[in-house]
Amino acid sequence: MSAPAPEQLALHAAQLRARIAMLDHAYYVLDAPEATDAEYDQLMRALLALEDQHPQLRTADSPTQRVGGAPRADLAPAPHAVAMLSLSNALTDDEAQAFDMRVQAGLGLADPVYCCELKFDGLAISLRYRDGVLERAATRGDGSVGEDVTANVRTIRSLPLRLPGPVPPLLEVRGEVLMFRRDFERLNAHQRAHEAREFANPRNAAAGSLRQLDAAITAQRRLHFFAYSMVQGDGEEDTTTAPDSPTGDPNPNPNMPAVTRAGSQWALLDALQELGLPVCEHRARVQGIAGLRDFYETIAQRRDSLPYEIDGVVFKVDDFQQQRRLGSVARAPRWAVARKFPPSEARTQVLGIDVQVGRTGAITPVARLAPVEVGGVVVSNATLHNEDEVRRKDIRIGDTVIVRRAGDVIPEVLASVPELRPADARAFVMPASCPVCGSAIERGEGEVIARCSGGLICPAQRKQALLHFAGRRALDIDGLGEKLVDQLVDAGLVSHPAGIFALDLPTLQKLDRMGEKSAANLLAAISVARTTTLDRFLYSLGIRHVGETTARDLARHFGSYAALAAATEAELLQVPDVGPVVAQAIRQFLDDARNRAEVEALLGTLQVAAPPPAARSQALGGVSFVLTGTLPTLSRDEAAARIEAAGGKVSSAVSRKTRYVVAGAEAGGKLAKAQELGIAVLDEAGLLALLEQTGGN
DNA sequence: CGTCCTCGAGTTCC
DNA sequence: CTCGAGGACG
């Protein structure tokens, strides 16, 4: 085969570039992808291969030369008169301490004064005001040249387009553009509703919104801005003689604008604020390493309750003269450092997508991930919830994905990174039959969850049913966990709950790694579980839609299993919170012959006591509480029991009807919600005091 | 009939 | 903890 002519190759490369540019425009600008990711990827690979073989074809504007958030062709380049530096990072307390030591050494000064601020997880932006009028807004870009995003930045409501009062003829304000969590969630809900791709996090959403070509779209996205620094004139380094006092009191020239007079970062922030620029309220002026630590700790605790995301805090030497003496190295100033929080997000690869079978037969896709550390633990699995979710987030096997494990414990796959998708990435396909028992998988009309139709034929469902039965909130059989249930079911020793009570020592000892001692312990635990209460018993049966609360309501209403079994659907409807769906599910369970036999067998071996009576104390008269976080001494159950004993109600979600939120350590979203709704927040001591007070009389 | 509230179910790691 | 969905209530 003969080599194609060079002109032909050049033409081919140009065609590929044009096609890719067109698809980029459709994807990033018009939000209307015109090709699948695989097609796009194929084009890109073809171009890369071509350029690799014929380097002379590689052009500076080739899409292959783009890295990450490279400037988009259609946004004008915006050079920075003074480079936008980044900050060096301190990832550990030791590194923060080293920074403080360097500053002390550089200044020959013990315990320097620092200005502490938040490190926003957004985009650095520079705003140029000429005679007080916003003239140009630019992204950081590579530090020396950014992108002109003036039209988009103008849509930020909190940003003054004209600065009042005396201002220098040319003033450049720097700060961060970010999206509040609330607006981010609203945006994603909107994207979801329009079947558009969701954003992985507020920062990506802010970046995407700011780089919109249509400023009308940016306007709808509700961006925010916080100012944190300033460059004067046309970029000459600030040489104004700063007043000796960092607060910048009496000034020789009172006509000079306050921003110009400021002799310290702290005073500058004040001055920016006076100009009507948004300045974040979370800042502090502190002394020495102890002060830096305090600020870091305080903010780390509040991190989750802030309305926007931050990835750390920033420490700056406060005094401008001192800053100048310290100077800059390479691309970062020596007088400032970013103390980062441990990352709560990480990228990793999807090795595969398996499905799990739950107690009710629910089929849940689970991503097997290349192990990655995020939020302090190594994550290797993450639920994908359901089929629709996988499709919506467009997560494929082989994809690189963003995983998050924030204040909450459960890792979540936020999004895939389409740029890093390999050509052989495979989409997830919901299997047609259960991987465990082979029964058909069905998904009801309008339902989100697909289910294995095998019922208790399915070993997976049987195992889950047994685990539920033995669970802490049901019969509470200590030691009967997943491993053991697996063994018992696989060995054919137990196939249904009543079978647990037929176990004996010789049978148990047939199992691997089951000595006499542990077997005896298990039998003792089973024996203890023979005595139970009606509410726990009803809950343990695993009737659909009957959870802990409904089981308790049923127990209280009917008083005995026999009474419940005799109830008609109409009678069931009399029970609080039982409607037609739940009543039917209960009736269906009771009418099934196998279930009846099972319950009969259980009742033959168990002693089921009448349910504990409802709280008699009316002290708290149905006041509604929500618990969140870890309390110092009480467990959550104990706290709930005490509240209920005093006649209060404990529910799981915060709403306007909630009177108190009891928050412990590492409280998450519920605390934030409580603050949002203005609901009283108690700590453990506050709760105990309240109980004491009301219970005492 | 729509809105809000609550419950049930599934889930990760050590 | 978060979702979906059932139930209560206006």
Side-chain angles (χ1 to χ4, degrees):
Chain A
M1 102 187 153
S2 65
E7 311 83 52
Q8 271 184 307
L9 284 176
L11 181 64
H12 187 208
Q15 283 171 338
L16 283 172
R17 272 183 218 122
R19 172 84 181 136
I20 290 169
M22 200 270 278
L23 293 179
D24 275 345
H25 185 78
Y27 187 93
Y28 291 106
V29 185
L30 307 178
D31 271 344
E34 290 187 8
T36 65
D37 293 308
E39 284 160 359
Y40 180 90
D41 200 60
Q42 203 181 355
L43 290 170
M44 192 63 112
R45 270 156 197 275
L47 183 57
L48 268 171
L50 196 60
E51 289 179 345
D52 272 349
Q53 281 166 29
H54 308 279
Q56 76 279 6
L57 294 177
R58 190 171 290 147
T59 57
D61 67 348
S62 173
T64 59
Q65 301 304 299
R66 251 187 219 190
V67 276
R72 230 178 34 203
D74 24 30
L75 288 173
H80 299 296
V82 173
M84 290 183 80
L85 302 181
S86 45
L87 295 181
S88 28
N89 291 326
L91 299 171
T92 62
D93 187 58
D94 284 352
E95 286 170 20
Q97 196 170 1
F99 163 73
D100 176 56
M101 302 290 268
R102 283 197 305 275
V103 169
Q104 289 192 41
L107 296 175
L109 190 76
D111 289 344
V113 174
Y114 293 103
C115 181
C116 301
E117 299 165 50
L118 304 186
K119 185 173 187 327
F120 307 103
D121 200 4
L123 291 96
I125 290 286
S126 119
L127 308 172
R128 199 165 68 201
Y129 285 92
R130 190 179 296 277
D131 298 323
V133 178
L134 178 64
E135 176 184 72
R136 191 196 77 172
T139 62
R140 186 212 301 270
D142 64 3
S144 57
V145 181
E147 295 164 302
D148 190 320
V149 288
T150 313
N152 296 331
V153 164
R154 277 192 217 278
T155 68
I156 300 177
R157 302 271 181 90
S158 53
L159 200 63
L161 298 179
R162 176 185 287 276
L163 301 177
V167 283
L170 197 57
L171 174 69
E172 188 178 324
V173 175
R174 291 179 176 179
E176 197 96 350
V177 165
L178 45 86
M179 188 179 281
F180 279 28
R181 294 187 220 261
R182 238 196 128 94
D183 296 321
F184 165 72
E185 266 138 39
R186 219 182 39 123
L187 170 59
N188 263 358
H190 179 270
Q191 297 287 100
R192 222 180 358 255
H194 291 73
E195 300 199 344
R197 192 180 171 80
E198 290 177 52
F199 291 95
N201 50 45
R203 189 173 48 79
N204 285 4
S209 306
L210 205 57
R211 299 174 80 238
Q212 280 288 332
L213 270 203
D214 182 357
I217 296 178
T218 314
Q220 293 165 8
R221 302 270 176 95
R222 305 254 176 106
L223 296 169
H224 282 254
F225 177 83
F226 283 124
Y228 52 64
S229 86
M230 173 202 69
V231 178
Q232 274 194 70
D234 48 8
E236 288 303 305
E237 185 156 8
D238 178 28
T239 49
T240 28
T241 11
D244 291 334
S245 152
T247 41
D249 342 322
N251 194 284
N253 181 0
N255 293 328
M256 267 173 88
V259 275
T260 318
R261 289 204 316 264
S264 70
Q265 175 66 14
W266 185 262
L268 174 67
L269 292 176
D270 284 343
L272 291 171
Q273 198 160 12
E274 272 170 42
L275 282 179
L277 287 157
V279 171
C280 177
E281 56 179 327
H282 299 286
R283 52 177 165 131
R285 197 149 49 151
V286 307
Q287 223 176 353
I289 182 72
L292 298 183
R293 283 195 182 120
D294 272 359
F295 187 76
Y296 175 84
E297 292 300 332
T298 310
I299 298 300
Q301 277 196 4
R302 290 200 201 156
R303 183 182 183 184
D304 289 333
S305 56
L306 291 172
Y308 40 80
E309 297 201 342
I310 58 175
D311 52 3
V313 293
V314 177
F315 305 144
K316 294 173 182 165
V317 170
D318 192 43
D319 186 273
F320 285 165
Q321 285 190 343
Q322 291 178 0
Q323 289 186 5
R324 257 176 252 126
R325 274 162 61 200
L326 289 164
S328 297
V329 273
R331 304 176 41 73
R334 264 196 290 234
W335 44 265
V337 75
R339 171 81 165 97
K340 290 234 189 171
F341 295 134
S344 57
E345 270 179 34
R347 283 183 176 198
T348 189
Q349 219 191 352
V350 178
L351 303 177
I353 299 179
D354 293 348
V355 295
Q356 275 178 3
V357 186
R359 173 168 62 87
T360 62
I363 304 285
T364 310
V366 179
R368 306 291 172 207
L369 305 169
V372 64
E373 182 167 344
V374 45
V377 300
V378 176
V379 170
S380 50
N381 299 306
T383 176
L384 296 172
H385 301 294
N386 57 61
E387 210 179 344
D388 291 0
E389 180 95 349
V390 179
R391 192 167 322 120
R392 198 157 55 220
K393 293 189 173 164
D394 191 23
I395 293 160
R396 306 193 196 168
I397 299 159
D399 268 359
T400 296
V401 290
I402 301 173
V403 180
R404 172 208 196 80
R405 184 181 174 278
D408 42 341
V409 193
I410 294 169
E412 180 189 9
V413 175
L414 291 178
S416 63
V417 185
E419 299 92 281
L420 297 179
R421 169 169 296 161
D424 58 353
R426 280 179 296 130
F428 167 73
V429 183
M430 179 61 79
S433 58
C434 173
V436 177
C437 71
S439 305
I441 288 178
E442 289 162 358
R443 185 172 157 184
E445 192 74 26
E447 300 259 308
V448 175
I449 306 287
R451 297 196 135 86
C452 161
S453 59
L456 290 178
I457 296 166
C458 180
Q461 291 189 51
R462 271 211 310 268
K463 286 175 185 175
Q464 292 298 324
L466 286 167
L467 279 172
H468 174 81
F469 180 81
R472 201 167 50 85
R473 327 202 73 107
L475 290 211
D476 192 17
I477 304 177
D478 217 24
L480 193 57
E482 197 177 328
K483 284 269 156 56
L484 199 49
V485 167
D486 273 353
Q487 287 191 62
L488 289 170
V489 174
D490 293 343
L493 297 177
V494 174
S495 61
H496 56 106
I500 293 172
F501 296 97
L503 288 170
D504 56 21
L505 210 54
T507 318
L508 274 176
Q509 285 187 278
K510 284 186 218 153
L511 296 174
D512 287 347
R513 316 233 311 268
M514 175 62 77
E516 194 170 334
K517 183 89 193 232
S518 32
N521 282 346
L522 180 63
L523 288 176
I526 291 172
S527 182
V528 169
R530 283 193 147 96
T531 310
T532 189
T533 52
L534 184 60
D535 50 341
R536 277 173 177 268
F537 178 67
L538 292 179
Y539 175 63
S540 78
L541 297 175
I543 303 167
R544 273 257 245 159
H545 300 120
V546 178
E548 233 185 327
T549 310
T550 310
R552 200 175 51 191
D553 288 343
L554 289 169
R556 288 203 181 128
H557 191 266
F558 291 103
S560 73
Y561 184 82
L564 170 70
T568 63
E569 218 168 293
E571 282 163 339
L572 287 166
L573 287 170
Q574 302 305 305
V575 181
D577 292 323
V578 172
V581 176
V582 179
Q584 209 206 333
I586 297 170
R587 212 43 264 174
Q588 215 165 51
F589 178 92
L590 295 169
D591 290 340
D592 183 289
R594 274 169 312 181
N595 290 336
R596 276 214 300 270
E598 177 69 28
V599 171
E600 202 128 315
L602 286 171
L603 289 175
T605 183
L606 295 176
Q607 287 185 294
V608 180
R616 255 177 299 138
S617 166
Q618 290 305 308
L620 284 174
V623 168
S624 166
F625 290 74
V626 171
L627 304 171
T628 179
T630 317
L631 300 176
T633 67
L634 289 177
S635 80
R636 211 183 269 223
D637 284 347
E638 284 161 355
R642 292 212 194 183
I643 291 168
E644 275 163 12
K649 247 181 59 136
V650 178
S651 47
S652 55
V654 180
S655 72
R656 266 172 298 205
K657 290 194 174 171
T658 309
R659 179 83 74 81
Y660 298 105
V661 169
V662 184
E666 280 160 58
K670 291 184 201 172
L671 178 56
K673 177 111 192 231
Q675 285 162 348
E676 193 183 308
L677 295 176
I679 290 161
V681 176
L682 301 175
D683 57 6
E684 185 183 286
L687 171 66
L688 292 175
L690 183 70
L691 291 172
E692 179 92 1
Q693 200 186 329
T694 48
N697 40 31

